[in-house]
Amino acid sequence: MRIFHDLISKTIFGKLINLTTIIMVVISLSACSDPSEVIISDINQRNANAIIFLLANNNITVNSRVNKSGTITLAVSKSNMIDALRLLKNNGLPNQDFVSLGDVFKKDSLISSPLEEHNRDIYAIDQEIASMLSHLNGVTDVQVKVAVPAPNDKLWDVDMPKPSASVVIKYKQGTRLDLYVSKIKSLVAHSVGGLSPDMVEVVTVQEKAS
Protein backbone atom coordinates (compact mmCIF):
# COMPACT_ATOMS: atom_id res chain seq x y z
CA MET A 1 0.00 0.00 0.00
CA ARG A 2 2.85 2.31 0.89
CA ILE A 3 4.57 1.61 -2.40
CA PHE A 4 1.33 2.35 -4.28
CA HIS A 5 0.96 5.65 -2.39
CA ASP A 6 4.55 6.66 -3.17
CA LEU A 7 4.03 5.78 -6.83
CA ILE A 8 0.95 7.99 -7.06
CA SER A 9 2.73 10.86 -5.26
CA LYS A 10 5.72 10.68 -7.58
CA THR A 11 3.46 10.56 -10.63
CA ILE A 12 1.46 13.63 -9.52
CA PHE A 13 4.62 15.51 -8.52
CA GLY A 14 6.23 14.64 -11.83
CA LYS A 15 3.22 15.94 -13.74
CA LEU A 16 3.28 19.18 -11.72
CA ILE A 17 6.96 19.66 -12.55
CA ASN A 18 6.28 19.02 -16.23
CA LEU A 19 3.31 21.41 -16.17
CA THR A 20 5.40 24.11 -14.48
CA THR A 21 8.16 23.63 -17.03
CA ILE A 22 5.68 23.96 -19.89
CA ILE A 23 4.23 27.15 -18.42
CA MET A 24 7.69 28.67 -18.00
CA VAL A 25 8.60 27.76 -21.57
CA VAL A 26 5.37 29.30 -22.89
CA ILE A 27 5.99 32.50 -20.92
CA SER A 28 9.57 32.64 -22.18
CA LEU A 29 8.50 32.10 -25.77
CA SER A 30 5.80 34.77 -25.43
CA ALA A 31 8.36 37.27 -24.17
CA CYS A 32 10.78 36.43 -26.96
CA SER A 33 8.15 36.33 -29.71
CA ASP A 34 7.48 40.08 -29.53
CA PRO A 35 10.77 41.88 -28.81
CA SER A 36 11.02 45.63 -28.33
CA GLU A 37 11.88 47.88 -31.24
CA VAL A 38 13.31 51.38 -30.81
CA ILE A 39 10.98 53.93 -32.36
CA ILE A 40 12.93 57.06 -31.45
CA SER A 41 16.13 57.95 -29.65
CA ASP A 42 18.01 60.95 -28.27
CA ILE A 43 14.93 63.03 -27.43
CA ASN A 44 14.42 65.34 -24.49
CA GLN A 45 12.18 64.68 -21.48
CA ARG A 46 9.37 66.91 -22.74
CA ASN A 47 9.08 65.03 -26.02
CA ALA A 48 9.40 61.68 -24.27
CA ASN A 49 6.53 62.50 -21.92
CA ALA A 50 4.32 63.62 -24.80
CA ILE A 51 5.02 60.44 -26.79
CA ILE A 52 4.48 58.12 -23.82
CA PHE A 53 1.19 59.86 -23.02
CA LEU A 54 0.01 59.61 -26.64
CA LEU A 55 0.88 55.93 -27.04
CA ALA A 56 -0.53 54.99 -23.63
CA ASN A 57 -3.84 56.56 -24.64
CA ASN A 58 -3.80 54.22 -27.63
CA ASN A 59 -3.03 51.12 -25.51
CA ILE A 60 0.61 50.89 -26.58
CA THR A 61 3.14 50.18 -23.84
CA VAL A 62 6.39 52.13 -24.10
CA ASN A 63 9.77 51.15 -22.67
CA SER A 64 12.06 54.09 -21.96
CA ARG A 65 15.80 54.29 -21.38
CA VAL A 66 17.86 57.26 -20.26
CA ASN A 67 21.08 57.58 -22.25
CA LYS A 68 24.43 58.71 -20.85
CA SER A 69 23.95 62.06 -22.56
CA GLY A 70 20.72 62.61 -20.63
CA THR A 71 18.54 62.09 -23.69
CA ILE A 72 15.87 59.39 -23.82
CA THR A 73 15.27 56.41 -26.09
CA LEU A 74 11.79 54.90 -26.46
CA ALA A 75 10.86 51.41 -27.65
CA VAL A 76 7.64 49.47 -28.17
CA SER A 77 6.85 45.87 -28.97
CA LYS A 78 7.53 44.88 -32.56
CA SER A 79 3.83 44.21 -33.18
CA ASN A 80 3.00 47.81 -32.17
CA MET A 81 5.86 49.53 -33.99
CA ILE A 82 3.94 50.48 -37.17
CA ASP A 83 0.96 51.82 -35.21
CA ALA A 84 3.26 53.76 -32.89
CA LEU A 85 5.18 55.38 -35.77
CA ARG A 86 1.91 56.27 -37.50
CA LEU A 87 0.62 57.94 -34.35
CA LEU A 88 3.81 59.95 -33.98
CA LYS A 89 3.64 61.13 -37.60
CA ASN A 90 -0.05 62.05 -37.40
CA ASN A 91 0.51 64.03 -34.21
CA GLY A 92 3.71 65.78 -35.25
CA LEU A 93 5.88 64.14 -32.61
CA PRO A 94 8.56 64.58 -31.53
CA ASN A 95 8.32 68.35 -31.45
CA GLN A 96 11.21 70.29 -32.88
CA ASP A 97 13.90 71.19 -30.34
CA PHE A 98 14.56 74.90 -30.37
CA VAL A 99 17.67 76.59 -29.07
CA SER A 100 17.01 79.20 -26.42
CA LEU A 101 18.61 82.62 -26.29
CA GLY A 102 20.69 81.46 -23.32
CA ASP A 103 22.07 78.54 -25.32
CA VAL A 104 22.88 80.72 -28.31
CA PHE A 105 24.75 83.28 -26.22
CA LYS A 106 27.04 80.73 -24.56
CA LYS A 107 30.32 81.95 -25.96
CA ASP A 108 33.19 79.57 -26.61
CA SER A 109 35.65 82.41 -26.69
CA LEU A 110 36.10 85.67 -24.82
CA ILE A 111 36.15 87.78 -27.97
CA SER A 112 33.72 87.53 -30.90
CA SER A 113 33.85 89.46 -34.14
CA PRO A 114 30.97 91.83 -34.97
CA LEU A 115 29.88 89.47 -37.77
CA GLU A 116 29.81 86.50 -35.38
CA GLU A 117 27.76 88.49 -32.89
CA HIS A 118 25.35 89.54 -35.63
CA ASN A 119 24.89 86.00 -36.94
CA ARG A 120 24.38 84.73 -33.41
CA ASP A 121 21.72 87.38 -32.83
CA ILE A 122 19.88 86.43 -36.02
CA TYR A 123 20.00 82.72 -35.24
CA ALA A 124 18.60 83.39 -31.78
CA ILE A 125 15.75 85.40 -33.28
CA ASP A 126 15.00 82.61 -35.78
CA GLN A 127 14.78 80.08 -32.97
CA GLU A 128 12.65 82.24 -30.70
CA ILE A 129 10.11 83.01 -33.43
CA ALA A 130 9.94 79.36 -34.55
CA SER A 131 9.43 78.23 -30.96
CA MET A 132 6.64 80.76 -30.50
CA LEU A 133 4.84 79.73 -33.71
CA SER A 134 5.18 76.03 -32.89
CA HIS A 135 2.67 76.52 -30.06
CA LEU A 136 -0.11 77.43 -32.47
CA ASN A 137 -2.85 74.81 -32.59
CA GLY A 138 -2.24 72.15 -35.24
CA VAL A 139 1.32 73.18 -36.10
CA THR A 140 3.71 70.24 -36.51
CA ASP A 141 6.83 71.94 -37.88
CA VAL A 142 8.14 75.50 -38.28
CA GLN A 143 11.11 76.93 -40.15
CA VAL A 144 12.00 80.61 -39.82
CA LYS A 145 14.71 82.61 -41.55
CA VAL A 146 15.16 86.27 -40.67
CA ALA A 147 17.39 88.49 -42.79
CA VAL A 148 18.67 91.63 -41.08
CA PRO A 149 21.51 93.69 -42.57
CA ALA A 150 24.68 93.66 -40.51
CA PRO A 151 25.33 97.00 -38.82
CA ASN A 152 27.95 99.27 -40.38
CA ASP A 153 29.20 102.84 -40.26
CA LYS A 154 27.19 103.98 -43.28
CA LEU A 155 24.21 105.24 -41.33
CA TRP A 156 23.33 107.61 -44.20
CA ASP A 157 23.16 104.82 -46.78
CA VAL A 158 19.58 104.95 -48.10
CA ASP A 159 20.12 101.81 -50.18
CA MET A 160 20.66 99.59 -47.15
CA PRO A 161 18.34 96.56 -47.52
CA LYS A 162 15.38 96.33 -45.19
CA PRO A 163 14.87 93.41 -42.79
CA SER A 164 12.79 90.54 -44.11
CA ALA A 165 11.63 87.15 -42.92
CA SER A 166 10.50 83.86 -44.44
CA VAL A 167 8.32 81.40 -42.53
CA VAL A 168 7.30 77.88 -43.52
CA ILE A 169 4.67 76.20 -41.34
CA LYS A 170 3.48 72.62 -41.65
CA TYR A 171 0.17 71.85 -39.99
CA LYS A 172 -2.29 69.00 -39.44
CA GLN A 173 -5.30 68.37 -41.62
CA GLY A 174 -8.46 69.96 -40.27
CA THR A 175 -6.60 73.02 -39.00
CA ARG A 176 -7.47 76.35 -40.69
CA LEU A 177 -4.07 77.93 -40.23
CA ASP A 178 -4.52 79.86 -43.47
CA LEU A 179 -7.01 82.08 -41.64
CA TYR A 180 -4.24 83.42 -39.41
CA VAL A 181 -1.52 84.24 -41.95
CA SER A 182 -1.94 88.01 -41.52
CA LYS A 183 -1.71 87.67 -37.75
CA ILE A 184 1.37 85.50 -38.08
CA LYS A 185 3.00 88.16 -40.28
CA SER A 186 2.23 90.81 -37.68
CA LEU A 187 3.55 88.61 -34.88
CA VAL A 188 6.84 87.98 -36.70
CA ALA A 189 7.22 91.63 -37.64
CA HIS A 190 6.83 92.76 -34.04
CA SER A 191 9.58 90.33 -33.02
CA VAL A 192 12.23 91.99 -35.19
CA GLY A 193 13.15 95.64 -35.01
CA GLY A 194 12.52 97.52 -38.25
CA LEU A 195 10.63 94.64 -39.86
CA SER A 196 7.26 95.42 -41.41
CA PRO A 197 4.51 92.79 -41.99
CA ASP A 198 4.67 93.29 -45.78
CA MET A 199 8.28 92.05 -45.68
CA VAL A 200 7.27 88.77 -44.04
CA GLU A 201 6.55 85.83 -46.35
CA VAL A 202 4.50 83.01 -44.82
CA VAL A 203 3.98 79.64 -46.51
CA THR A 204 1.60 77.12 -44.94
CA VAL A 205 1.75 73.46 -45.92
CA GLN A 206 -0.93 70.97 -44.93
CA GLU A 207 0.26 67.47 -44.06
CA LYS A 208 -0.89 64.68 -46.34
CA ALA A 209 -3.25 62.08 -44.95
CA SER A 210 -1.45 58.89 -44.01
Side-chain angles (χ1 to χ4, degrees), residues 87-143:
L87 284 167
L88 296 189
K89 180 179 182 299
N90 291 343
N91 288 272
L93 291 173
N95 294 310
Q96 184 177 351
D97 288 335
F98 297 102
V99 180
S100 67
L101 284 170
D103 292 330
V104 171
F105 285 101
K106 287 181 180 178
K107 297 182 179 180
D108 296 327
S109 59
L110 295 176
I111 302 175
S112 299
S113 69
L115 182 59
E116 288 175 335
E117 290 287 350
H118 177 72
N119 290 337
R120 187 178 290 133
D121 289 345
I122 298 304
Y123 181 71
I125 293 171
D126 290 346
Q127 292 290 293
E128 288 291 310
I129 295 175
S131 178
M132 178 172 56
L133 296 177
S134 71
H135 289 87
L136 294 176
N137 185 41
V139 171
T140 59
D141 187 61
V142 184
Q143 298 292 328

Side-chain angles (χ1 to χ4, degrees), residues 142-159:
V142 184
Q143 298 292 328
V144 176
K145 182 59 181 176
V146 174
V148 178
N152 55 51
D153 297 332
K154 298 179 180 180
L155 300 178
W156 58 87
D157 190 353
V158 295
D159 295 327

